[in-house]
């Protein structure tokens, strides 16, 4: 049971816009920033969004993040076949002396 | 460029021990918190432990507390995870990851597989 809640799956056709939600609480998303990661099969997670809505260098602007209260969202516009991957949200949690919490992951399928 | 390279994984029997290492390069290692995060086969990500830049603070997930010990050597740009009393449920790919205070990690290593089985 993950601390942050994500839908287990999402799908879209090429060119569409897809959003993935991430729900938390006041001790994590409500008081700290959110990161999003993309994990392609057999590879390590890669940072996609940091500090709620910032893109690292090299990440296409098709990927965007937002946060409101205790929830966050990742949006992918102009969906491409190479976007098919698992996506995870993460945040710092102030409870239990502080630690990182993750969502359970969302498998994105490009139809 | 930032590089994190884990090593030390392998097959170990239940109750056994293993020490993971992570060699860091491309950044000032002593400036950053470091974490270990694991992923069981076919499952999601689970935070295991973190250590502050100067080793003053450490914290562990309840699932590993008392069995795992995180440490670092800033002179060698290295992070370690000593794992004792290993259980089948510790089987996972273990990633080392770079972070900062109160933020999730940014860079991750490629991971090292730990399999606990008789």
């Amino acid at each position: 049971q993950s601390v942050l809640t994500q839908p287990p799956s999402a799908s879209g056709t090429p060119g569409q816009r897809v959003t993935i939600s991430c729900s938390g609480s006041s001790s994590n998303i409500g008081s700290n920033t959110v990161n999003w990661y993309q994990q392609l099969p057999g590879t390590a997670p890669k940072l996609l969004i940091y500090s709620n809505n910032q893109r690292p260098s090299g990440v296409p602007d098709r990927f965007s993040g937002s946060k409101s209260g205790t929830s966050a969202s990742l949006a992918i516009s102009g969906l491409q076949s190479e976007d098919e991957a698992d996506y995870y949200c993460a945040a710092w949690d102030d409870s239990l002396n502080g630690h990182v919490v993750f969502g359970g992951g969302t498998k994105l399928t490009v139809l | 460029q930032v590089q994190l390279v884990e090593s030390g994984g392998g097959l170990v029997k239940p109750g056994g021990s293993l020490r993971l290492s992570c060699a860091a390069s491309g950044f000032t290692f002593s400036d950053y918190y470091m974490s270990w995060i694991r992923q069981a086969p076919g499952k999601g990500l689970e935070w295991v432990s973190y250590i502050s830049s100067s080793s003053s603070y450490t914290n562990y997930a309840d699932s590993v507390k008392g069995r795992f010990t995180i440490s670092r050597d800033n002179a060698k740009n290295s992070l370690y995870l000593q794992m004792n009393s290993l259980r089948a449920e510790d089987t996972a790919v273990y990633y080392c990851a770079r972070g900062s205070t109160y933020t999730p990690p940014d860079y991750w290593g490629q991971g090292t597989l730990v399999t606990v089985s008789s």
Side-chain angles (χ1 to χ4, degrees):
Chain A
Q1 188 82 355
S2 300
V3 174
L4 306 181
T5 302
Q6 295 180 238
S9 63
S11 64
T13 56
Q16 266 190 331
R17 183 176 187 269
V18 170
T19 61
I20 298 172
S21 62
C22 175
S23 177
S25 68
S26 57
S27 65
N28 42 66
I29 293 179
S31 52
N32 296 297
T33 61
V34 177
N35 284 8
W36 289 91
Y37 305 96
Q38 178 192 59
Q39 188 175 34
L40 298 169
T43 68
K46 169 194 161 187
L47 182 66
L48 207 58
I49 297 289
Y50 68 97
S51 295
N52 305 326
N53 55 17
Q54 302 299 303
R55 279 186 311 276
S57 169
V59 173
D61 59 8
R62 303 186 295 105
F63 294 91
S64 62
S66 63
K67 184 184 109 168
S68 178
T70 59
S71 294
S73 291
L74 172 70
I76 309 171
S77 60
L79 200 61
Q80 298 180 3
S81 58
E82 56 260 40
D83 298 333
E84 188 160 292
D86 293 326
Y87 293 85
Y88 293 89
C89 60
W92 185 267
D93 193 301
D94 295 329
S95 66
L96 302 174
N97 297 318
H99 59 292
V100 177
V101 292
F102 291 96
T106 298
K107 180 166 181 57
L108 175 63
T109 301
V110 181
L111 302 169
Chain B
Q1 71 284 19
V2 173
Q3 276 202 308
L4 299 167
V5 180
E6 301 94 335
S7 60
L11 175 63
V12 62
K13 289 181 168 51
S17 297
L18 215 52
R19 189 193 196 208
L20 305 183
S21 299
C22 172
S25 61
F27 66 102
T28 304
F29 182 70
S30 57
D31 284 348
Y32 288 86
Y33 271 60
M34 296 296 295
S35 291
W36 287 99
I37 294 159
R38 68 185 181 184
Q39 185 171 34
K43 301 295 185 182
L45 301 169
E46 180 189 16
W47 170 80
V48 172
S49 179
Y50 78 74
I51 185 168
S52 64
S53 55
S54 62
S55 304
S56 300
Y57 301 104
T58 60
N59 198 13
Y60 301 89
D62 285 345
S63 56
V64 307
K65 201 169 291 185
R67 301 187 297 124
F68 290 12
T69 303
I70 191 172
S71 62
R72 65 191 294 162
D73 185 336
N74 286 345
K76 295 182 177 179
N77 291 339
S78 293
L79 175 73
Y80 307 101
L81 186 68
Q82 177 67 43
M83 304 186 296
N84 299 330
S85 304
L86 283 161
R87 306 166 179 166
E89 54 265 34
D90 295 319
T91 293
V93 174
Y94 284 73
Y95 297 101
C96 78
R98 187 186 83 164
S100 298
T101 317
Y102 310 129
T103 64
D106 51 8
Y107 288 93
W108 300 57
Q110 86 289 349
T112 186
L113 176 62
V114 172
T115 303
V116 183
S117 174
S118 54

